[in-house]
Amino acid sequence: MDVQISAAIIAVLGTLGGSVVGWVSQRDGKNVARLERKVAKYAAEIRARQAEEDVACEWLVELNAGTSATSIKLKLRDRTEHERGQRPSLAPSDVTDT
């Protein structure tokens, strides 16, 4: 009878251990999925702001504020760095879906 009790205790502990491992892996999977959604959201926001910068520069060319969109973009980035202390450092190719 002692062997049967020992086997039952081992089976119960094995089942509980398996349940804990499953719970932990599911929890970690949910956290990874949440972080992946957050990264995708930020990447989309970066792409949107880069597109906004491009459209604004083209618009300023139409208003004769500069000779080309590239020169205006550089002036805009220089002015932003001078006034706000920040300068964008990501190129559109840096923000890609993997």
Side-chain angles (χ1 to χ4, degrees), residues 10-87:
I10 291 171
V12 168
L13 290 177
T15 302
L16 289 175
S19 298
V20 168
V21 168
W23 173 74
V24 168
S25 65
Q26 182 182 12
R27 184 190 64 178
D28 290 345
K30 287 180 180 179
N31 285 339
V32 168
R34 180 182 53 81
L35 291 173
E36 286 174 348
R37 286 190 306 271
K38 190 178 248 188
V39 167
K41 182 178 111 177
Y42 289 146
E45 179 67 21
I46 290 168
R47 284 191 296 273
R49 289 182 187 219
Q50 288 173 337
E52 184 179 39
E53 181 186 42
D54 291 340
V55 169
C57 290
E58 290 169 6
W59 184 37
L60 288 170
V61 168
E62 290 175 12
L63 296 174
N64 295 322
T67 57
S68 70
T70 305
S71 67
I72 289 176
K73 188 182 291 188
L74 291 174
K75 288 179 187 178
L76 176 64
R77 289 179 178 185
D78 289 342
R79 185 170 180 165
T80 303
E81 183 177 27
H82 180 263
E83 290 182 8
R84 305 290 177 160
Q86 295 180 333
R87 185 179 188 94

